[in-house]
Amino acid sequence: TEEHIAAMKEHNVPQWYIDSCFKIKYMFPKAHAAAYVTAAVKLAWFKIYHPAEFYAATLTKHTENMELDVIMQGKEAVKQRIKTIQSMPTPGAKEKGIAEALQLVYEMMMRGIEVLPVDAKLSNAVTYVVEGGKLRMPFMAVSGCGENAAVKLKEAIDSGDCISIDEIQQASGVNSTVIEKLKVMGVFNGFQQSAQFTLFDM
């Protein structure tokens, strides 16, 4: 307003600054910039001194784009998958998301942090677990296992009420495709396929 302009001139604000106010919709305040820098420093500190925890937190945002079968083959397989996506003429949003997630995983592996497979007892539903400087993958990292399914699956296993794979599937409501993938990965080692009772068991 004219009042603002008069006040600025009264306090010797240069004309170029006054002109810029008509061109810029948002003047980035110094406090906002300082907050960004502070956050960046904190992130850098964790990335340097607590790398496993840093990647555990960062990868949580990318879990839905994890390709667990590729990751468990090691860093060379991860590197090759990234190259394959990058060589696509027009990669879609999903492929770009996968590449971004795998780049973080590859960086982590190059820093010597190993990836541990999904485990029925040790894995979390959605978040990663740090075990001795290594990263345990969550249930949600399995392709087709969304957040709700992962949570229900973990709850069914942790309840202790299920002694068989069939019971886990029934209690969690997870589809058979995901259950089969988990079986192939060895997640259900120690669980029998189905609960079979005889008269002698009763």
Side-chain angles (χ1 to χ4, degrees):
T1 64
E2 291 298 326
E3 290 80 8
H4 292 150
I5 294 170
M8 283 194 254
K9 287 183 175 179
E10 185 181 336
H11 290 84
N12 300 316
V13 173
Q15 187 60 44
W16 66 263
Y17 188 93
I18 296 172
D19 293 339
S20 72
C21 292
F22 291 97
K23 299 174 183 177
I24 301 171
K25 291 184 178 180
Y26 175 67
M27 300 292 282
F28 202 84
K30 290 180 181 179
H32 200 162
Y36 274 20
V37 172
T38 302
V41 169
K42 288 178 180 178
L43 280 173
W45 187 88
F46 273 99
K47 191 170 186 178
I48 294 168
Y49 297 107
H50 294 278
E53 288 78 5
F54 169 84
Y55 290 108
T58 305
L59 288 174
T60 301
K61 285 184 60 180
H62 301 273
T63 304
E64 63 181 12
N65 288 319
M66 289 293 171
E67 289 191 341
L68 193 55
D69 54 337
V70 175
I71 293 169
M72 296 314 301
Q73 292 176 49
K75 60 186 175 185
E76 286 307 315
V78 172
K79 182 180 180 180
Q80 188 56 49
R81 177 62 174 139
I82 294 168
K83 285 184 176 180
T84 300
I85 295 172
Q86 290 175 339
S87 66
M88 291 178 178
T90 52
K94 181 64 177 176
E95 285 74 22
K96 288 178 181 177
I98 291 169
E100 188 177 347
L102 291 179
Q103 282 171 346
L104 279 168
V105 172
Y106 183 70
E107 176 185 293
M108 178 184 75
M109 289 176 164
M110 289 299 290
R111 294 186 69 187
I113 300 170
E114 296 178 32
V115 175
L116 298 172
V118 176
D119 183 276
K121 299 294 184 183
L122 301 175
S123 288
N124 283 341
V126 177
T127 57
Y128 297 75
V129 178
V130 177
E131 295 180 26
K134 301 176 183 180
L135 228 61
R136 174 77 63 184
M137 302 299 279
F139 283 102
M140 192 177 162
V142 178
S143 177
C145 188
E147 184 174 349
N148 289 337
V151 170
K152 289 178 181 177
L153 189 60
K154 183 63 176 170
E155 287 175 351
I157 293 170
D158 287 352
S159 69
D161 297 331
C162 303
I163 62 172
S164 71
I165 300 171
D166 287 347
E167 287 178 329
I168 292 171
Q169 182 177 3
Q170 188 175 8
S172 64
V174 175
N175 66 58
S176 57
T177 303
V178 172
I179 294 294
E180 283 302 317
K181 287 178 182 178
L182 292 169
K183 283 167 63 177
V184 170
M185 293 177 189
V187 175
F188 293 129
N189 290 347
F191 289 92
Q192 56 193 41
Q193 178 61 46
S194 59
Q196 296 178 342
F197 297 98
T198 67
L199 290 172
F200 298 101
D201 295 321
M202 303 175 99

